Every structure is written in C-alpha cells, then in structure tokens.
Amino acid sequence: MAEHSEISDSKDESFVEKIAEKFHGDDSSSSSSSSDSDSEKKSTSSPSSRKSKIFRMFGREKPVHKVFGGGKPADIFLWRNKKVSAGVLVGATAIWVLFELLEYHLLTLVCHILILSLAILFLWSNVTKFIKKSPPRIPEVHLPEEPFLQVVSALTIEINRALAVLRDIAAGRDLKKFLGIIVGLWVLSILGGCCNTLTLFYIAFVLLHTLPVLYEKYEDQVDSFVEKAMIEIKKQYAKFDEKVLSKIPRGPLKDKKRA
C-alpha cells in the first residue's frame, strides 16, 4: 500500500510538472511572439521613415496623380483610361495637322463643320416625313459649369503665383530665380523663332501626355538622377557665387535686410 501511494504521488508530481512546463512554454512563446511583433513593427516602420527622407523632384510630398489634381484631367494625363487619353492625343494631333500642315483657318473649319452638319440634319429631318420614318433624335447638349469653374480657378491660382514670383524677381530679392527666368525666356525665344505658337502648344501638350506617365513609372530612378544633378548644380553655383556673384556690389535693399 505504501509503495502504491508513493507511485501515485510521483505520478501526480510529474503531471503537475508537465502542466507547469506547458504554461512556461506558452509564456515564453507569447513573449517571443510579442518580441517578434515588436521587431516586425520596427522593421515595418523603418521603411516608411526611410521613404519620408527620399528626395522627390520639386520637393513634392504627394503622389503624381494628386499633383495633377486627382480628377479626370489627372487620369487623362497619366493614362488611367487609355482609350480616353489616346483619343485626346489623336484629337490634338488632328487639330495640329489641320491648322499647321494643311494651313486651315479656325473660323473656316468651324463654319464648314457647322454647314455640313446642319445640312445633313435638315435634309434628314425633311426626308423622314416623305418616307414615313421617325425623324432623327437630336440630343440636348448642356455643358456643366463645374469643370469650367475648376479650370478657371486653377489657372487663376497659377497666374497669381507667377505674378508673385515675377514681382519678387523684379524687386531684386532672388538672384537664382532671376537667372532661371532669364534662361527660360531665352530658350523660349529661340523655340519661338524656330516654330510658331500652335506648334509650341502642341509640343507642350504631347509632353504633358508622355513625361508624367513615364516619370510615374520610373519615379525612383528619375528622382535619384535629379538628386545627383541638383547636388552637382549646387556645387557649381557655390563656386560661381564665390568667384563672381560675391564680388558684385549689393543693392540697398539687401543691405537693409542684413542690417
């Protein structure tokens, strides 16, 4: 009987030890899982902090789609709907061919289109009375005001920004912007001598339809290249400033600011 009680006691002790080991194992696994989750959180948070430090062209913080307004114009420029974007580009190309290559005039083209369309509809409406068929259904066209107001407001904001920049440059406050604007206007004057205004607008339109979507596709590579180029430009500008610009006598406005 004593041996039997000892055996049962040893069995109970081993059972209790197994339960304790099981609980300790669960605690250690939970602590290891929590430490793993903490390490995963750190690893997941570190790329986001790295992404926030990545150089972006023009110092932008929003995606390319948001920079273009995030609406239908952005979808067209970034080829979200390929059929619509291709149709707009083909339409612009047809207009350029008509006015530039075929030397058509805008007023003549509009009048010819209206004459042709009105003549076809008028004859069709009268012929259907004799052949006893239903007349053509001419839809009522109403242009919404909201898209036009959005375009006008966006243009107003950009024009006001450009006027503010020109005012600062004319006041002699920013030499970098002054040099950039002078070079840009000089390049535009050269392009204007090579081709007319319509061709310039068409080239700009084609670039708007190609460059943003290519930049969005190869964003990291382009930003990395631009970052290196900007560092090199800043180095060259610092040398130019030290050798040339610093020797130019400063105006009274900058002297007052420094005082």
Side-chain angles (χ1 to χ4, degrees):
M1 291 291 291
E3 291 178 357
H4 182 70
S5 64
E6 288 177 0
I7 291 170
S8 64
D9 291 338
S10 63
K11 287 182 178 179
D12 293 336
E13 288 177 357
S14 62
F15 180 72
V16 170
E17 288 175 358
K18 287 180 180 179
I19 293 174
E21 287 176 358
K22 187 176 181 181
F23 276 112
H24 285 302
D26 291 337
D27 291 336
S28 62
S29 63
S30 63
S31 62
S32 63
S33 64
S34 63
S35 62
D36 292 337
S37 64
D38 292 337
S39 62
E40 286 177 1
K41 287 180 180 178
K42 290 179 182 178
S43 63
T44 54
S45 62
S46 59
S48 62
S49 61
R50 288 175 186 173
K51 283 184 179 179
S52 61
K53 296 179 181 179
I54 292 176
F55 174 85
R56 293 300 179 195
M57 195 184 298
F58 305 116
R60 63 178 182 83
E61 297 178 355
K62 299 178 181 179
V64 181
H65 191 266
K66 292 291 184 183
V67 172
F68 278 89
K72 290 183 179 180
D75 293 339
I76 292 172
F77 287 126
L78 296 175
W79 293 75
R80 294 289 191 267
N81 191 339
K82 294 183 179 180
K83 291 182 179 179
V84 176
S85 300
V88 172
L89 187 58
V90 169
T93 305
I95 291 171
W96 178 75
V97 169
L98 282 173
F99 293 129
E100 182 64 23
L101 298 183
L102 301 180
E103 296 182 353
Y104 231 94
H105 297 287
L106 178 61
L107 184 61
T108 307
L109 178 64
V110 172
C111 291
H112 285 179
I113 291 173
L114 288 174
I115 289 169
L116 183 62
S117 58
L118 288 175
I120 291 172
L121 290 173
F122 181 80
L123 292 174
W124 189 6
S125 300
N126 286 285
V127 167
T128 52
K129 295 178 182 179
F130 296 102
I131 60 177
K132 295 180 180 181
K133 287 189 176 181
S134 59
R137 294 180 180 179
I138 302 172
E140 294 183 1
V141 179
H142 295 285
L143 295 176
E145 296 181 2
E146 187 177 354
F148 292 97
L149 293 175
Q150 289 177 354
V151 171
V152 170
S153 63
L155 285 175
T156 304
I157 292 170
E158 295 300 326
I159 290 171
N160 288 331
R161 285 180 182 174
L163 291 174
V165 170
L166 292 175
R167 184 176 179 277
D168 290 339
I169 292 171
R173 296 176 184 173
D174 197 335
L175 184 60
K176 290 182 182 179
K177 289 182 180 178
F178 170 73
L179 294 175
I181 292 294
I182 292 298
V183 172
L185 291 174
W186 180 65
V187 171
L188 281 177
S189 66
I190 295 174
L191 291 175
C194 297
C195 53
N196 59 13
T197 306
L198 180 62
T199 304
L200 283 177
F201 277 115
Y202 176 69
I203 292 171
F205 190 80
V206 171
L207 291 177
L208 278 174
H209 263 74
T210 53
L211 292 182
V213 67
L214 290 175
Y215 172 69
E216 189 181 36
K217 188 176 182 180
Y218 303 103
E219 184 176 358
D220 295 333
Q221 294 89 333
V222 174
D223 286 338
S224 154
F225 176 77
V226 172
E227 184 180 12
K228 294 177 182 177
M230 290 298 295
I231 292 172
E232 187 63 27
I233 289 171
K234 287 179 180 179
K235 287 181 182 178
Q236 298 299 325
Y237 178 79
K239 293 179 181 179
F240 180 72
D241 188 14
E242 183 181 357
K243 294 180 180 179
V244 179
L245 299 180
S246 60
K247 297 178 182 180
I248 299 174
R250 300 182 181 275
L253 183 63
K254 288 190 175 181
D255 292 337
K256 286 180 182 179
K257 282 186 178 180
R258 291 194 169 186

